[in-house]
Amino acid sequence: LPLARADRLQARGERLAADTLPTLPAPSLDASSTAWVIDWQQHRAPAVLAALLARGYRVQATETPLELTGSDEVRRFGRGSIVVHHGIQPDHLPPVEETLAALGRRHDVEIAGIGSGLAREGSDLGSPSIPVLAAPRPILLTGDAVSSYGAGYVWHWFDTILDQPLTRIDADALPSDLDDYTHIIMPPGAWGGLGDQFAEKLTGFV
């Protein structure tokens, strides 16, 4: 291939002096909306979901794509989008639209207000086919048998991306009673060397 050696990058246009990434408009949520929907394809949507569940709000997730009427246009949302209804939230919590707006600003996530629960395509928002999610309670196995890089990646994901605490337990000290947890996260590791007792605890959990 033809080539030319260069000792430095050639000048190409104006020097970048500021952030060039697009910024979403700060959400201002209308309390009269029937519900709000968050497209799951957004990078920080999991952080918004985790925060809502941690605070005790009731959140649903779509199992099929939906086409809904927004405040000023028809919007299409993919499978796995998050639905937050105004009328099904616990009475003791702050208004959900205030919490949603704050989370949208914090995580730079777009939140769409929906004017009608009747879907133009897919399940209506009041349908039982849009299940209410339960907050997961995971533990991360660590220790000498576990890849420190693998465990560190998972821990970083929860701590930085999800902004959620994560219980960490040494695999050698895994308790027999795991009823308080919903998931066990096992990074790459030498699991075969932990013996039959460890395997029995995992089997009992499953």
Side-chain angles (χ1 to χ4, degrees):
L1 297 176
L3 61 90
R5 176 168 179 152
D7 294 327
R8 60 180 297 172
L9 193 63
Q10 300 179 31
R12 287 289 184 267
E14 297 295 326
R15 181 183 182 90
L16 293 178
D19 185 2
T20 59
L21 292 175
T23 301
L24 293 174
S28 177
L29 303 185
D30 185 357
S32 65
S33 295
T34 300
W36 296 274
V37 180
I38 302 170
D39 194 319
W40 189 249
Q41 298 303 315
Q42 299 179 86
H43 181 59
R44 299 303 300 275
V48 176
L49 172 61
L52 290 171
L53 292 177
R55 299 179 192 191
Y57 290 100
R58 303 190 76 215
V59 183
Q60 295 167 278
T62 64
E63 295 182 337
T64 59
L66 299 180
E67 194 172 275
L68 302 167
T69 303
S71 56
D72 55 0
E73 61 180 344
V74 175
R75 298 285 303 270
R76 186 169 181 83
F77 300 93
R79 181 183 293 107
S81 294
I82 300 304
V83 179
V84 182
H85 274 277
H86 181 279
I88 64 171
Q89 304 305 326
D91 293 334
H92 66 281
L93 295 177
V96 69
E97 64 271 14
E98 297 177 4
T99 302
L100 265 178
L103 290 172
R105 287 190 294 269
R106 177 177 180 180
H107 298 292
D108 200 21
V109 167
E110 181 187 12
I111 302 167
I114 303 301
S116 172
L118 298 178
R120 297 169 64 96
E121 181 181 326
S123 301
D124 294 335
L125 294 187
S127 169
S129 62
I130 304 180
V132 176
L133 302 177
R137 302 183 305 278
I139 57 173
L140 171 65
L141 297 187
T142 60
D144 293 338
V146 180
S147 163
S148 58
Y149 291 104
Y153 172 82
V154 175
W155 187 6
H156 175 269
W157 176 263
F158 274 83
D159 186 54
T160 303
I161 304 300
L162 295 184
D163 194 21
Q164 291 294 307
L166 176 64
T167 300
R168 301 177 303 281
I169 296 180
D170 194 308
D172 289 328
L174 187 67
S176 299
D177 184 5
L178 296 168
D179 291 342
D180 290 338
Y181 305 104
T182 58
H183 299 75
I184 296 178
I185 303 174
M186 301 173 63
W191 302 109
L194 292 176
D196 293 339
Q197 189 175 17
F198 175 79
E200 289 172 3
K201 293 176 181 178
L202 283 184
T203 302
F205 173 79
V206 173

